[in-house]
Amino acid sequence: MTRAELEKYIGETYNTDPDYPWEDTPQATVFRHRSNRKWFALTMTVGRDRLGLPEGGSVDVVNLKCDPIMLGSMLMEPGFFPAYHMSKAHWISAALDGSAEGEKIKLLLDVSYEMTAGKGRIKG
C-alpha cells in the first residue's frame, strides 16, 4: 500500500480530510476524528535508519494507535516497526513501501480509529 492509496482509503472509509498541522513539515499529514479531533493516523516521511533499516534514503510511514496485546505480534510482521516519534507502547509504524501487507494496515487503521473514537462513537 502506498501513501496515496492509504490517504484515499482513509478519506473514503472514515469521511475525514487530511490535516497539515506543521509548517516546517508540510509532508506530515494527520487524520482526526471529526467529533473529538483526536488523531487516529499520522503519515510522514522518515529516514530509513530511524526505523532500523540498513538502506539509506527515506520511506513514507503511517503511525497508528495499537492495542498493546497486538503490538508484539504485529512487530514480527514485515514492514511494521516500533512507532517513530510516538509512544512505542501504544503506537506502531507501518512502512508504505509495499513491505507491510495492505490488509494488515487496514486492520490496524480500524483498531486505531476505534481506540481513539471515545465512547459511543461510530465511523463518520
Side-chain angles (χ1 to χ4, degrees):
M1 175 174 279
T2 66
R3 182 177 182 157
E5 291 167 339
L6 175 76
E7 291 179 355
K8 181 178 181 206
Y9 177 81
I10 290 172
E12 292 171 351
T13 304
Y14 303 100
N15 190 30
T16 188
D17 296 318
D19 181 15
Y20 304 92
W22 303 288
E23 274 186 39
D24 64 335
T25 315
Q27 77 281 7
T29 309
V30 173
F31 293 91
R32 304 172 190 264
H33 289 271
R34 289 186 181 273
S35 60
N36 65 15
R37 305 296 294 151
K38 286 187 178 182
W39 301 6
F40 63 92
L42 163 67
T43 58
M44 62 187 144
T45 304
V46 299
R48 295 177 76 79
D49 61 323
R50 300 288 186 164
L51 301 176
L53 297 171
E55 309 89 30
S58 60
V59 62
D60 287 331
V61 299
V62 60
N63 280 1
L64 302 164
K65 191 154 192 181
C66 186
D67 183 290
I69 295 170
M70 289 179 69
L71 199 61
S73 62
M74 290 308 301
L75 291 173
M76 308 266 307
E77 298 286 332
F80 292 94
F81 304 92
Y84 174 73
H85 212 282
M86 309 251 317
S87 167
K88 290 167 181 34
H90 299 282
W91 290 80
I92 191 167
S93 291
L96 299 173
D97 62 357
S99 62
E101 188 179 315
E103 290 305 312
K104 289 181 181 170
I105 293 174
K106 289 178 183 178
L107 169 71
L108 286 175
L109 191 55
D110 277 339
V111 168
S112 184
Y113 188 88
E114 293 301 321
M115 288 183 74
T116 56
K119 296 184 188 223
R121 301 290 182 196
I122 56 173
K123 289 182 186 176

mmCIF file of all heavy atoms in Angstrom, residues 71-122:
data_model
loop_
_atom_site.group_PDB
_atom_site.id
_atom_site.type_symbol
_atom_site.label_atom_id
_atom_site.label_comp_id
_atom_site.label_asym_id
_atom_site.label_seq_id
_atom_site.Cartn_x
_atom_site.Cartn_y
_atom_site.Cartn_z
ATOM 1 N N LEU A 71 0.422 -5.442 19.604
ATOM 2 C CA LEU A 71 1.667 -4.796 19.204
ATOM 3 C C LEU A 71 2.811 -5.780 18.986
ATOM 4 O O LEU A 71 3.470 -5.750 17.949
ATOM 5 C CB LEU A 71 2.044 -3.757 20.264
ATOM 6 C CG LEU A 71 3.028 -2.681 19.875
ATOM 7 C CD1 LEU A 71 2.511 -1.838 18.734
ATOM 8 C CD2 LEU A 71 3.318 -1.796 21.070
ATOM 9 N N GLY A 72 3.024 -6.670 19.940
ATOM 10 C CA GLY A 72 4.130 -7.624 19.829
ATOM 11 C C GLY A 72 4.059 -8.492 18.598
ATOM 12 O O GLY A 72 5.057 -8.676 17.898
ATOM 13 N N SER A 73 2.872 -9.010 18.301
ATOM 14 C CA SER A 73 2.758 -9.876 17.121
ATOM 15 C C SER A 73 2.871 -9.073 15.828
ATOM 16 O O SER A 73 3.438 -9.554 14.848
ATOM 17 C CB SER A 73 1.450 -10.674 17.158
ATOM 18 O OG SER A 73 0.335 -9.821 17.131
ATOM 19 N N MET A 74 2.367 -7.840 15.810
ATOM 20 C CA MET A 74 2.460 -7.031 14.592
ATOM 21 C C MET A 74 3.908 -6.644 14.298
ATOM 22 O O MET A 74 4.291 -6.528 13.134
ATOM 23 C CB MET A 74 1.584 -5.775 14.703
ATOM 24 C CG MET A 74 0.097 -6.056 14.678
ATOM 25 S SD MET A 74 -0.476 -7.085 13.290
ATOM 26 C CE MET A 74 0.019 -6.119 11.891
ATOM 27 N N LEU A 75 4.701 -6.460 15.348
ATOM 28 C CA LEU A 75 6.106 -6.097 15.132
ATOM 29 C C LEU A 75 6.915 -7.245 14.538
ATOM 30 O O LEU A 75 8.024 -7.026 14.063
ATOM 31 C CB LEU A 75 6.736 -5.615 16.444
ATOM 32 C CG LEU A 75 6.209 -4.268 16.946
ATOM 33 C CD1 LEU A 75 6.770 -3.960 18.331
ATOM 34 C CD2 LEU A 75 6.533 -3.157 15.964
ATOM 35 N N MET A 76 6.357 -8.441 14.551
ATOM 36 C CA MET A 76 7.025 -9.597 13.939
ATOM 37 C C MET A 76 6.743 -9.659 12.428
ATOM 38 O O MET A 76 7.377 -10.422 11.714
ATOM 39 C CB MET A 76 6.548 -10.891 14.607
ATOM 40 C CG MET A 76 6.642 -10.888 16.109
ATOM 41 S SD MET A 76 8.105 -11.567 16.829
ATOM 42 C CE MET A 76 8.269 -13.143 16.135
ATOM 43 N N GLU A 77 5.779 -8.871 11.969
ATOM 44 C CA GLU A 77 5.375 -8.865 10.572
ATOM 45 C C GLU A 77 6.285 -7.937 9.759
ATOM 46 O O GLU A 77 6.722 -6.904 10.255
ATOM 47 C CB GLU A 77 3.924 -8.370 10.435
ATOM 48 C CG GLU A 77 2.903 -9.238 11.122
ATOM 49 C CD GLU A 77 2.651 -10.541 10.383
ATOM 50 O OE1 GLU A 77 2.819 -10.581 9.151
ATOM 51 O OE2 GLU A 77 2.289 -11.523 11.051
ATOM 52 N N PRO A 78 6.543 -8.283 8.484
ATOM 53 C CA PRO A 78 7.357 -7.402 7.637
ATOM 54 C C PRO A 78 6.701 -6.031 7.480
ATOM 55 O O PRO A 78 5.491 -5.922 7.329
ATOM 56 C CB PRO A 78 7.387 -8.123 6.283
ATOM 57 C CG PRO A 78 6.916 -9.508 6.532
ATOM 58 C CD PRO A 78 6.100 -9.483 7.780
ATOM 59 N N GLY A 79 7.520 -4.987 7.538
ATOM 60 C CA GLY A 79 7.059 -3.633 7.284
ATOM 61 C C GLY A 79 6.469 -2.918 8.479
ATOM 62 O O GLY A 79 6.040 -1.772 8.358
ATOM 63 N N PHE A 80 6.453 -3.555 9.655
ATOM 64 C CA PHE A 80 5.929 -2.927 10.866
ATOM 65 C C PHE A 80 7.073 -2.702 11.849
ATOM 66 O O PHE A 80 7.930 -3.566 12.015
ATOM 67 C CB PHE A 80 4.833 -3.782 11.506
ATOM 68 C CG PHE A 80 3.590 -3.840 10.664
ATOM 69 C CD1 PHE A 80 3.394 -4.871 9.759
ATOM 70 C CD2 PHE A 80 2.627 -2.846 10.770
ATOM 71 C CE1 PHE A 80 2.259 -4.920 8.965
ATOM 72 C CE2 PHE A 80 1.484 -2.883 9.982
ATOM 73 C CZ PHE A 80 1.299 -3.918 9.078
ATOM 74 N N PHE A 81 7.047 -1.525 12.512
ATOM 75 C CA PHE A 81 8.158 -1.101 13.352
ATOM 76 C C PHE A 81 7.628 -0.432 14.620
ATOM 77 O O PHE A 81 6.512 0.085 14.635
ATOM 78 C CB PHE A 81 9.026 -0.083 12.593
ATOM 79 C CG PHE A 81 9.526 -0.612 11.288
ATOM 80 C CD1 PHE A 81 8.801 -0.405 10.125
ATOM 81 C CD2 PHE A 81 10.701 -1.328 11.223
ATOM 82 C CE1 PHE A 81 9.248 -0.905 8.908
ATOM 83 C CE2 PHE A 81 11.166 -1.827 10.012
ATOM 84 C CZ PHE A 81 10.431 -1.624 8.854
ATOM 85 N N PRO A 82 8.475 -0.401 15.680
ATOM 86 C CA PRO A 82 8.090 0.415 16.830
ATOM 87 C C PRO A 82 7.806 1.832 16.342
ATOM 88 O O PRO A 82 8.487 2.338 15.451
ATOM 89 C CB PRO A 82 9.330 0.367 17.737
ATOM 90 C CG PRO A 82 10.029 -0.900 17.336
ATOM 91 C CD PRO A 82 9.772 -1.043 15.861
ATOM 92 N N ALA A 83 6.812 2.457 16.897
ATOM 93 C CA ALA A 83 6.367 3.770 16.413
ATOM 94 C C ALA A 83 7.502 4.767 16.373
ATOM 95 O O ALA A 83 8.253 4.908 17.338
ATOM 96 C CB ALA A 83 5.241 4.292 17.280
ATOM 97 N N TYR A 84 7.602 5.465 15.250
ATOM 98 C CA TYR A 84 8.573 6.537 15.131
ATOM 99 C C TYR A 84 7.972 7.791 15.751
ATOM 100 O O TYR A 84 6.875 8.216 15.391
ATOM 101 C CB TYR A 84 8.937 6.802 13.662
ATOM 102 C CG TYR A 84 9.832 7.997 13.521
ATOM 103 C CD1 TYR A 84 11.161 7.931 13.908
ATOM 104 C CD2 TYR A 84 9.338 9.204 13.068
ATOM 105 C CE1 TYR A 84 11.986 9.024 13.823
ATOM 106 C CE2 TYR A 84 10.155 10.317 12.971
ATOM 107 C CZ TYR A 84 11.477 10.229 13.354
ATOM 108 O OH TYR A 84 12.284 11.328 13.287
ATOM 109 N N HIS A 85 8.674 8.362 16.716
ATOM 110 C CA HIS A 85 8.343 9.652 17.319
ATOM 111 C C HIS A 85 7.032 9.650 18.105
ATOM 112 O O HIS A 85 6.386 10.693 18.271
ATOM 113 C CB HIS A 85 8.306 10.735 16.234
ATOM 114 C CG HIS A 85 8.740 12.068 16.736
ATOM 115 N ND1 HIS A 85 7.927 12.877 17.482
ATOM 116 C CD2 HIS A 85 9.909 12.727 16.598
ATOM 117 C CE1 HIS A 85 8.579 13.994 17.778
ATOM 118 N NE2 HIS A 85 9.776 13.930 17.253
ATOM 119 N N MET A 86 6.575 8.477 18.554
ATOM 120 C CA MET A 86 5.349 8.377 19.355
ATOM 121 C C MET A 86 5.590 7.294 20.411
ATOM 122 O O MET A 86 6.585 6.578 20.354
ATOM 123 C CB MET A 86 4.154 7.995 18.481
ATOM 124 C CG MET A 86 3.981 8.840 17.263
ATOM 125 S SD MET A 86 2.652 10.004 17.105
ATOM 126 C CE MET A 86 1.196 9.345 17.646
ATOM 127 N N SER A 87 4.655 7.136 21.324
ATOM 128 C CA SER A 87 4.763 6.120 22.355
ATOM 129 C C SER A 87 4.851 4.730 21.726
ATOM 130 O O SER A 87 3.951 4.321 20.994
ATOM 131 C CB SER A 87 3.539 6.166 23.279
ATOM 132 O OG SER A 87 3.483 5.002 24.082
ATOM 133 N N LYS A 88 5.929 4.050 22.006
ATOM 134 C CA LYS A 88 6.126 2.713 21.438
ATOM 135 C C LYS A 88 5.287 1.661 22.160
ATOM 136 O O LYS A 88 5.178 0.540 21.700
ATOM 137 C CB LYS A 88 7.602 2.366 21.457
ATOM 138 C CG LYS A 88 8.366 3.214 20.454
ATOM 139 C CD LYS A 88 9.850 3.129 20.644
ATOM 140 C CE LYS A 88 10.643 3.983 19.691
ATOM 141 N NZ LYS A 88 10.104 5.232 19.266
ATOM 142 N N ALA A 89 4.669 2.041 23.272
ATOM 143 C CA ALA A 89 3.805 1.108 23.992
ATOM 144 C C ALA A 89 2.391 1.091 23.421
ATOM 145 O O ALA A 89 1.659 0.132 23.628
ATOM 146 C CB ALA A 89 3.757 1.481 25.476
ATOM 147 N N HIS A 90 2.012 2.139 22.699
ATOM 148 C CA HIS A 90 0.634 2.256 22.221
ATOM 149 C C HIS A 90 0.504 2.577 20.735
ATOM 150 O O HIS A 90 -0.611 2.634 20.225
ATOM 151 C CB HIS A 90 -0.101 3.334 23.023
ATOM 152 C CG HIS A 90 -0.167 3.026 24.474
ATOM 153 N ND1 HIS A 90 -1.055 2.122 25.004
ATOM 154 C CD2 HIS A 90 0.570 3.483 25.514
ATOM 155 C CE1 HIS A 90 -0.868 2.036 26.307
ATOM 156 N NE2 HIS A 90 0.112 2.855 26.642
ATOM 157 N N TRP A 91 1.603 2.829 20.051
ATOM 158 C CA TRP A 91 1.555 3.180 18.624
ATOM 159 C C TRP A 91 2.535 2.311 17.859
ATOM 160 O O TRP A 91 3.520 1.817 18.403
ATOM 161 C CB TRP A 91 1.909 4.661 18.428
ATOM 162 C CG TRP A 91 0.860 5.585 18.944
ATOM 163 C CD1 TRP A 91 0.654 5.964 20.243
ATOM 164 C CD2 TRP A 91 -0.157 6.232 18.179
ATOM 165 N NE1 TRP A 91 -0.418 6.810 20.329
ATOM 166 C CE2 TRP A 91 -0.933 7.002 19.075
ATOM 167 C CE3 TRP A 91 -0.483 6.258 16.821
ATOM 168 C CZ2 TRP A 91 -2.009 7.777 18.658
ATOM 169 C CZ3 TRP A 91 -1.555 7.038 16.405
ATOM 170 C CH2 TRP A 91 -2.308 7.772 17.315
ATOM 171 N N ILE A 92 2.255 2.145 16.573
ATOM 172 C CA ILE A 92 3.097 1.346 15.689
ATOM 173 C C ILE A 92 3.254 2.089 14.371
ATOM 174 O O ILE A 92 2.357 2.837 13.965
ATOM 175 C CB ILE A 92 2.476 -0.064 15.477
ATOM 176 C CG1 ILE A 92 3.450 -1.004 14.794
ATOM 177 C CG2 ILE A 92 1.147 0.026 14.732
ATOM 178 C CD1 ILE A 92 3.021 -2.481 14.844
ATOM 179 N N SER A 93 4.395 1.919 13.721
ATOM 180 C CA SER A 93 4.631 2.491 12.394
ATOM 181 C C SER A 93 4.579 1.387 11.356
ATOM 182 O O SER A 93 5.123 0.298 11.571
ATOM 183 C CB SER A 93 6.009 3.164 12.316
ATOM 184 O OG SER A 93 6.064 4.331 13.098
ATOM 185 N N ALA A 94 3.925 1.675 10.237
ATOM 186 C CA ALA A 94 3.889 0.742 9.110
ATOM 187 C C ALA A 94 4.492 1.443 7.900
ATOM 188 O O ALA A 94 4.125 2.586 7.588
ATOM 189 C CB ALA A 94 2.457 0.319 8.807
ATOM 190 N N ALA A 95 5.424 0.774 7.246
ATOM 191 C CA ALA A 95 6.040 1.325 6.043
ATOM 192 C C ALA A 95 5.031 1.292 4.895
ATOM 193 O O ALA A 95 4.290 0.322 4.730
ATOM 194 C CB ALA A 95 7.287 0.527 5.677
ATOM 195 N N LEU A 96 5.018 2.367 4.126
ATOM 196 C CA LEU A 96 4.105 2.462 2.980
ATOM 197 C C LEU A 96 4.880 2.288 1.685
ATOM 198 O O LEU A 96 4.727 3.050 0.733
ATOM 199 C CB LEU A 96 3.367 3.812 3.030
ATOM 200 C CG LEU A 96 2.509 4.013 4.277
ATOM 201 C CD1 LEU A 96 1.950 5.421 4.325
ATOM 202 C CD2 LEU A 96 1.392 2.977 4.331
ATOM 203 N N ASP A 97 5.717 1.257 1.668
ATOM 204 C CA ASP A 97 6.548 0.961 0.504
ATOM 205 C C ASP A 97 6.262 -0.425 -0.066
ATOM 206 O O ASP A 97 7.021 -0.940 -0.872
ATOM 207 C CB ASP A 97 8.025 1.072 0.874
ATOM 208 C CG ASP A 97 8.450 0.072 1.950
ATOM 209 O OD1 ASP A 97 7.590 -0.684 2.473
ATOM 210 O OD2 ASP A 97 9.657 0.050 2.271
ATOM 211 N N GLY A 98 5.161 -1.024 0.378
ATOM 212 C CA GLY A 98 4.806 -2.360 -0.093
ATOM 213 C C GLY A 98 5.300 -3.483 0.802
ATOM 214 O O GLY A 98 4.901 -4.630 0.621
ATOM 215 N N SER A 99 6.153 -3.179 1.767
ATOM 216 C CA SER A 99 6.678 -4.245 2.629
ATOM 217 C C SER A 99 5.665 -4.681 3.694
ATOM 218 O O SER A 99 5.707 -5.819 4.140
ATOM 219 C CB SER A 99 7.990 -3.814 3.286
ATOM 220 O OG SER A 99 7.804 -2.684 4.113
ATOM 221 N N ALA A 100 4.763 -3.791 4.098
ATOM 222 C CA ALA A 100 3.704 -4.140 5.049
ATOM 223 C C ALA A 100 2.446 -4.494 4.268
ATOM 224 O O ALA A 100 2.068 -3.783 3.331
ATOM 225 C CB ALA A 100 3.427 -2.972 5.994
ATOM 226 N N GLU A 101 1.818 -5.582 4.626
ATOM 227 C CA GLU A 101 0.621 -6.041 3.918
ATOM 228 C C GLU A 101 -0.517 -5.023 4.088
ATOM 229 O O GLU A 101 -0.847 -4.617 5.204
ATOM 230 C CB GLU A 101 0.208 -7.397 4.474
ATOM 231 C CG GLU A 101 -0.899 -8.062 3.693
ATOM 232 C CD GLU A 101 -1.251 -9.413 4.280
ATOM 233 O OE1 GLU A 101 -0.329 -10.191 4.603
ATOM 234 O OE2 GLU A 101 -2.463 -9.673 4.405
ATOM 235 N N GLY A 102 -1.117 -4.623 2.982
ATOM 236 C CA GLY A 102 -2.173 -3.621 2.982
ATOM 237 C C GLY A 102 -3.356 -3.972 3.854
ATOM 238 O O GLY A 102 -3.915 -3.113 4.547
ATOM 239 N N GLU A 103 -3.764 -5.240 3.851
ATOM 240 C CA GLU A 103 -4.914 -5.644 4.672
ATOM 241 C C GLU A 103 -4.601 -5.523 6.164
ATOM 242 O O GLU A 103 -5.480 -5.216 6.969
ATOM 243 C CB GLU A 103 -5.372 -7.061 4.317
ATOM 244 C CG GLU A 103 -6.016 -7.155 2.949
ATOM 245 C CD GLU A 103 -7.190 -6.195 2.749
ATOM 246 O OE1 GLU A 103 -8.069 -6.135 3.632
ATOM 247 O OE2 GLU A 103 -7.229 -5.503 1.715
ATOM 248 N N LYS A 104 -3.355 -5.751 6.535
ATOM 249 C CA LYS A 104 -2.972 -5.601 7.947
ATOM 250 C C LYS A 104 -2.937 -4.125 8.338
ATOM 251 O O LYS A 104 -3.313 -3.770 9.453
ATOM 252 C CB LYS A 104 -1.638 -6.292 8.207
ATOM 253 C CG LYS A 104 -1.782 -7.797 8.147
ATOM 254 C CD LYS A 104 -0.514 -8.528 8.425
ATOM 255 C CE LYS A 104 -0.815 -10.027 8.315
ATOM 256 N NZ LYS A 104 0.357 -10.846 8.345
ATOM 257 N N ILE A 105 -2.515 -3.275 7.418
ATOM 258 C CA ILE A 105 -2.560 -1.837 7.686
ATOM 259 C C ILE A 105 -4.011 -1.404 7.878
ATOM 260 O O ILE A 105 -4.324 -0.654 8.804
ATOM 261 C CB ILE A 105 -1.886 -1.038 6.552
ATOM 262 C CG1 ILE A 105 -0.381 -1.317 6.516
ATOM 263 C CG2 ILE A 105 -2.155 0.461 6.716
ATOM 264 C CD1 ILE A 105 0.351 -0.693 5.334
ATOM 265 N N LYS A 106 -4.911 -1.881 7.035
ATOM 266 C CA LYS A 106 -6.332 -1.528 7.162
ATOM 267 C C LYS A 106 -6.905 -2.025 8.488
ATOM 268 O O LYS A 106 -7.685 -1.328 9.138
ATOM 269 C CB LYS A 106 -7.133 -2.095 5.991
ATOM 270 C CG LYS A 106 -6.858 -1.387 4.683
ATOM 271 C CD LYS A 106 -7.644 -2.030 3.553
ATOM 272 C CE LYS A 106 -7.332 -1.384 2.219
ATOM 273 N NZ LYS A 106 -8.077 -2.045 1.114
ATOM 274 N N LEU A 107 -6.516 -3.231 8.902
ATOM 275 C CA LEU A 107 -6.964 -3.763 10.197
ATOM 276 C C LEU A 107 -6.502 -2.851 11.335
ATOM 277 O O LEU A 107 -7.285 -2.471 12.199
ATOM 278 C CB LEU A 107 -6.436 -5.182 10.405
ATOM 279 C CG LEU A 107 -6.602 -5.743 11.821
ATOM 280 C CD1 LEU A 107 -8.057 -6.046 12.113
ATOM 281 C CD2 LEU A 107 -5.734 -6.962 12.013
ATOM 282 N N LEU A 108 -5.226 -2.480 11.311
ATOM 283 C CA LEU A 108 -4.698 -1.604 12.355
ATOM 284 C C LEU A 108 -5.318 -0.214 12.285
ATOM 285 O O LEU A 108 -5.491 0.448 13.310
ATOM 286 C CB LEU A 108 -3.176 -1.506 12.261
ATOM 287 C CG LEU A 108 -2.416 -2.731 12.744
ATOM 288 C CD1 LEU A 108 -0.928 -2.573 12.488
ATOM 289 C CD2 LEU A 108 -2.674 -2.986 14.216
ATOM 290 N N LEU A 109 -5.652 0.228 11.103
ATOM 291 C CA LEU A 109 -6.326 1.511 10.949
ATOM 292 C C LEU A 109 -7.683 1.486 11.650
ATOM 293 O O LEU A 109 -8.047 2.428 12.369
ATOM 294 C CB LEU A 109 -6.480 1.832 9.464
ATOM 295 C CG LEU A 109 -6.928 3.218 9.075
ATOM 296 C CD1 LEU A 109 -6.046 4.292 9.662
ATOM 297 C CD2 LEU A 109 -6.947 3.331 7.564
ATOM 298 N N ASP A 110 -8.421 0.388 11.477
ATOM 299 C CA ASP A 110 -9.698 0.236 12.179
ATOM 300 C C ASP A 110 -9.503 0.220 13.696
ATOM 301 O O ASP A 110 -10.257 0.851 14.438
ATOM 302 C CB ASP A 110 -10.414 -1.052 11.761
ATOM 303 C CG ASP A 110 -11.203 -0.912 10.479
ATOM 304 O OD1 ASP A 110 -11.546 0.231 10.100
ATOM 305 O OD2 ASP A 110 -11.487 -1.946 9.853
ATOM 306 N N VAL A 111 -8.484 -0.500 14.149
ATOM 307 C CA VAL A 111 -8.184 -0.567 15.586
ATOM 308 C C VAL A 111 -7.860 0.835 16.105
ATOM 309 O O VAL A 111 -8.391 1.275 17.129
ATOM 310 C CB VAL A 111 -7.017 -1.544 15.872
ATOM 311 C CG1 VAL A 111 -6.502 -1.400 17.303
ATOM 312 C CG2 VAL A 111 -7.434 -2.980 15.581
ATOM 313 N N SER A 112 -7.013 1.544 15.396
ATOM 314 C CA SER A 112 -6.622 2.888 15.800
ATOM 315 C C SER A 112 -7.826 3.821 15.842
ATOM 316 O O SER A 112 -7.998 4.601 16.788
ATOM 317 C CB SER A 112 -5.561 3.431 14.839
ATOM 318 O OG SER A 112 -5.097 4.688 15.263
ATOM 319 N N TYR A 113 -8.659 3.728 14.828
ATOM 320 C CA TYR A 113 -9.850 4.575 14.768
ATOM 321 C C TYR A 113 -10.758 4.327 15.974
ATOM 322 O O TYR A 113 -11.213 5.258 16.626
ATOM 323 C CB TYR A 113 -10.601 4.320 13.466
ATOM 324 C CG TYR A 113 -11.729 5.300 13.238
ATOM 325 C CD1 TYR A 113 -11.498 6.506 12.603
ATOM 326 C CD2 TYR A 113 -13.010 5.019 13.671
ATOM 327 C CE1 TYR A 113 -12.523 7.419 12.403
ATOM 328 C CE2 TYR A 113 -14.045 5.918 13.481
ATOM 329 C CZ TYR A 113 -13.797 7.119 12.848
ATOM 330 O OH TYR A 113 -14.796 8.016 12.656
ATOM 331 N N GLU A 114 -10.985 3.065 16.270
ATOM 332 C CA GLU A 114 -11.860 2.710 17.387
ATOM 333 C C GLU A 114 -11.245 3.085 18.734
ATOM 334 O O GLU A 114 -11.947 3.550 19.632
ATOM 335 C CB GLU A 114 -12.216 1.221 17.357
ATOM 336 C CG GLU A 114 -13.076 0.818 16.173
ATOM 337 C CD GLU A 114 -14.399 1.565 16.094
ATOM 338 O OE1 GLU A 114 -15.018 1.804 17.158
ATOM 339 O OE2 GLU A 114 -14.812 1.921 14.982
ATOM 340 N N MET A 115 -9.936 2.897 18.882
ATOM 341 C CA MET A 115 -9.275 3.204 20.152
ATOM 342 C C MET A 115 -9.256 4.704 20.456
ATOM 343 O O MET A 115 -9.157 5.090 21.614
ATOM 344 C CB MET A 115 -7.837 2.666 20.154
ATOM 345 C CG MET A 115 -7.759 1.149 20.252
ATOM 346 S SD MET A 115 -6.053 0.580 20.324
ATOM 347 C CE MET A 115 -5.636 1.042 22.006
ATOM 348 N N THR A 116 -9.353 5.534 19.435
ATOM 349 C CA THR A 116 -9.291 6.978 19.628
ATOM 350 C C THR A 116 -10.648 7.654 19.496
ATOM 351 O O THR A 116 -10.753 8.869 19.628
ATOM 352 C CB THR A 116 -8.312 7.607 18.624
ATOM 353 O OG1 THR A 116 -8.700 7.252 17.293
ATOM 354 C CG2 THR A 116 -6.876 7.153 18.881
ATOM 355 N N ALA A 117 -11.695 6.878 19.251
ATOM 356 C CA ALA A 117 -13.023 7.441 18.970
ATOM 357 C C ALA A 117 -13.715 8.028 20.189
ATOM 358 O O ALA A 117 -14.529 8.931 20.053
ATOM 359 C CB ALA A 117 -13.926 6.378 18.341
ATOM 360 N N GLY A 118 -13.450 7.531 21.343
ATOM 361 C CA GLY A 118 -14.211 7.957 22.512
ATOM 362 C C GLY A 118 -15.432 7.059 22.666
ATOM 363 O O GLY A 118 -15.706 6.212 21.817
ATOM 364 N N LYS A 119 -16.160 7.247 23.691
ATOM 365 C CA LYS A 119 -17.288 6.382 23.990
ATOM 366 C C LYS A 119 -18.473 6.653 23.064
ATOM 367 O O LYS A 119 -18.825 7.788 22.810
ATOM 368 C CB LYS A 119 -17.722 6.578 25.437
ATOM 369 C CG LYS A 119 -16.628 6.139 26.371
ATOM 370 C CD LYS A 119 -17.061 6.238 27.797
ATOM 371 C CE LYS A 119 -15.853 5.982 28.617
ATOM 372 N NZ LYS A 119 -15.712 5.294 29.635
ATOM 373 N N GLY A 120 -19.061 5.574 22.573
ATOM 374 C CA GLY A 120 -20.289 5.664 21.789
ATOM 375 C C GLY A 120 -20.127 6.250 20.408
ATOM 376 O O GLY A 120 -21.096 6.638 19.782
ATOM 377 N N ARG A 121 -18.923 6.328 19.882
ATOM 378 C CA ARG A 121 -18.693 6.918 18.558
ATOM 379 C C ARG A 121 -18.685 5.841 17.492
ATOM 380 O O ARG A 121 -18.276 4.712 17.722
ATOM 381 C CB ARG A 121 -17.381 7.674 18.492
ATOM 382 C CG ARG A 121 -17.287 8.790 19.495
ATOM 383 C CD ARG A 121 -18.223 9.888 19.102
ATOM 384 N NE ARG A 121 -18.092 10.984 20.061
ATOM 385 C CZ ARG A 121 -18.945 11.932 20.195
ATOM 386 N NH1 ARG A 121 -20.029 11.960 19.461
ATOM 387 N NH2 ARG A 121 -18.767 12.882 21.069
ATOM 388 N N ILE A 122 -19.126 6.215 16.299
ATOM 389 C CA ILE A 122 -19.069 5.320 15.152
ATOM 390 C C ILE A 122 -18.378 6.054 14.016
ATOM 391 O O ILE A 122 -18.165 7.256 14.085
ATOM 392 C CB ILE A 122 -20.480 4.852 14.717
ATOM 393 C CG1 ILE A 122 -21.375 6.052 14.425
ATOM 394 C CG2 ILE A 122 -21.093 3.959 15.769
ATOM 395 C CD1 ILE A 122 -22.715 5.702 13.828
#
